[in-house]
Amino acid sequence: MGDEGEQHAGGCGRPGTRRRWVAALVPGLVSMLVSMLAAALVSLAGPAATAVAAPGRLAAGTAPSYLTAVAAPSYLTAVQRIAVGPEPDGTPVTLDTTIYAPAGAGGSTARHPAVLLAHGLGGSKADLEDAAVLLVGEGFVVLTYSARGFGASSGRVHLDDPAFEVADAQRLVDTLAARPDVQLDGPKDPRVAVVGGSYGGALALMLAATDPRIDADVASITWHDLADALFPQSASASSADSSSGATPGPFKQLWGARFFAGALGGSPSGSPSPGDGASPSTNPSATPAAGAAARAAASGAALCGRYDPTVCRLMVTAMERGTPDQALLDLLRRHSPAPLLGRLTAPTLLVQGQTDTLFGLDQADATARALTAAGTTVAVRWTDGGHDAPSTTADADEQATVDWLRHFLVDSPGRRGAARPGPAFSYTLPLPRGASTTPLATSDRYPGLTASGTTLPISGAGGQVVTPLAASPRR
């Protein structure tokens, strides 16, 4: 189970200026690559101590000005390291977690439904603090964690590999099931939902598809097929899906660079871990060949940071060539919700940005169509935000998430064929002049991206595309 840290008491007030829901789950492009690299440099110095103070900790009878003056139940937090599966070389891995639990009056042992929160690429459990405080105030037990290879968790980044990151999340569900304050639907089966954005959004879908204990999930601005998302093309009827045999499109190299920026840095302890590629040996008896190999390993570690070496090698090759190997396409597809969605029965809320240049509406649309075909209850929300900018409808999106969780975990829990707590489809309209919030339109059905394409003849002598759309120039 790991070592549990001390518990702290807190208050569940809702900050009027706190970070918005999606912003707390995934870093946005507002910070650009500079801030990602800065965060990576900070990680090189090593993580902060895990015995953190409880968020929102208040003295009795006090309330800072940024908290809404409403009565709210208190909560407790506990920092805990949880052992999960080892790395391929056998190196042990533990995850840094924080559990938020309603305190209850008079030491009550009442059980509550639970929510597992997953962060975006390059993030950590610290990004989830505001969302956790909000949800524990709604009466949920909330577990936040830094994914394998991020924050103070050990291990390497495998890009949502079912055998690693998804299996880790299943272990966290086990942890919730063992708690005396979590409601159970059966032995070792907690009443639990999973919520995530971007990297965490794909994790949410994949966990819900592979663990039947998940009762509901919310996935924001994430991918359906990572191969298609990173190497998109619309020149043929099929996509870059490795199973289709289609030629992949241009690599989104800016986003590829950010993938690496999000995982740069050393081991959680600030020193190389086994396989990190430690500094070349200073042993005078070491052979020149051994020294060269050590220097090459150190160079690879500096480039790959905490990425799994296989993932790193395939991604670096794609960035150098501008095209992916079949091995990379196969890996990206395996690390995607697409091949698993036929098994997902938990009611699913999909939130996607209408102007997102990383994971477009097509990704959520493909997921929604697959879930609908499987008979799964699904709702789709299009926002005017995403990876490129925050949404102006963040408050409404946040409330839709809370309503979804409360409906399927508390009010009328159910799965296949269950009624939705809101519209099947919501989307943003153009921002009116002088307004700060985009108006929302709704529909009782999701129409999907059904517009048919138009074929236009092209004439000319032909030529070479020097700067493909959504990619950097090749040198």
Side-chain angles (χ1 to χ4, degrees):
M1 289 288 291
D3 298 325
E4 184 168 322
E6 61 182 85
Q7 294 192 346
H8 304 274
C12 285
R14 297 180 60 175
T17 58
R18 69 176 180 277
R19 292 166 291 173
R20 297 293 85 195
W21 185 274
V22 172
L25 295 173
V26 56
L29 188 58
V30 175
S31 61
M32 291 299 293
L33 185 58
V34 174
S35 64
M36 292 294 293
L37 291 173
L41 292 175
V42 171
S43 69
L44 287 171
T50 58
V52 297
R57 187 174 184 179
L58 303 176
T62 67
S65 59
Y66 63 80
L67 291 183
T68 304
V70 294
S74 59
Y75 63 92
L76 299 174
T77 64
V79 177
Q80 183 178 356
R81 295 200 70 90
I82 297 177
V84 292
E87 286 295 309
D89 63 1
T91 302
V93 176
T94 60
L95 303 183
D96 178 31
T97 75
T98 298
I99 295 177
Y100 299 72
S108 171
T109 58
R111 290 181 177 267
H112 308 269
V115 179
L116 177 66
L117 293 181
H119 61 75
L121 192 77
S124 72
K125 70 175 188 179
D127 302 327
L128 307 171
E129 178 181 309
D130 290 334
V133 169
L134 169 66
L135 291 174
V136 75
E138 296 287 338
F140 299 105
V141 173
V142 184
L143 193 158
T144 67
Y145 70 105
S146 296
R148 173 186 297 249
F150 293 108
S153 294
S154 56
R156 295 189 174 279
V157 180
H158 296 262
L159 277 185
D160 279 346
D161 190 326
F164 293 99
E165 285 88 355
V166 180
D168 293 348
Q170 292 174 341
R171 177 70 183 87
L172 299 179
V173 175
D174 294 341
T175 297
L176 288 170
R179 290 183 59 88
D181 55 358
V182 171
Q183 184 176 353
L184 298 179
D185 290 327
K188 300 182 180 181
D189 180 5
R191 178 77 56 79
V192 61
V194 56
V195 178
S198 193
Y199 189 67
L203 183 284
L205 292 170
M206 297 170 75
L207 176 63
T210 55
D211 193 327
R213 296 175 296 177
I214 301 300
D215 298 290
D217 64 289
V218 180
S220 300
I221 55 176
T222 194
W223 67 85
H224 171 77
D225 184 321
L226 194 52
D228 182 30
L230 294 182
F231 300 92
Q233 59 99 355
S234 301
S236 67
S238 55
S239 69
D241 182 330
S242 61
S243 65
S244 69
T247 301
F251 186 24
K252 294 182 179 177
Q253 289 193 347
L254 173 61
W255 287 112
R258 293 196 69 201
F259 267 51
F260 279 92
L264 283 175
S267 65
S269 64
S271 59
S273 60
D276 272 345
S279 300
S281 172
T282 57
N283 184 348
S285 64
T287 65
R295 285 191 295 273
S299 175
L303 174 65
C304 296
R306 296 173 68 181
Y307 267 100
D308 171 75
T310 299
V311 174
C312 179
R313 173 178 55 82
L314 293 173
M315 290 287 286
V316 168
T317 299
M319 286 194 289
E320 290 174 343
R321 299 177 179 175
T323 57
D325 292 338
Q326 187 61 42
L328 176 59
L329 293 176
D330 292 341
L331 180 145
L332 295 177
R333 178 165 172 75
R334 289 195 308 271
H335 297 198
S336 297
L340 304 173
L341 294 176
R343 299 156 53 186
L344 200 167
T345 61
T348 300
L349 174 61
L350 302 172
V351 182
Q352 206 78 351
Q354 290 177 243
T355 58
D356 196 319
T357 60
L358 178 56
F359 303 131
L361 296 178
D362 60 304
Q363 295 294 309
D365 179 68
T367 297
R369 287 188 283 106
L371 293 178
T372 300
T376 301
T377 299
V378 62
V380 179
R381 292 182 66 87
W382 291 355
T383 78
D384 59 349
H387 288 81
D388 303 87
S391 171
T392 66
T393 63
D395 284 329
D397 299 334
E398 178 184 273
Q399 188 59 52
T401 296
V402 172
D403 291 345
W404 192 266
L405 298 177
R406 177 160 291 282
H407 180 75
F408 290 110
L409 297 183
V410 180
D411 297 336
S412 55
R415 293 192 178 186
R416 193 180 296 270
R420 306 177 189 89
F425 180 43
S426 302
Y427 58 99
T428 58
L429 300 173
L431 184 67
R433 183 184 300 274
S436 60
T437 302
T438 304
L440 284 166
T442 62
S443 172
D444 59 1
R445 70 179 187 88
Y446 172 63
L449 300 177
T450 57
S452 59
T454 300
T455 301
L456 299 174
I458 298 178
S459 60
Q464 181 179 4
V465 177
V466 178
T467 308
L469 182 64
S472 300
R474 293 184 59 188
R475 300 177 185 272

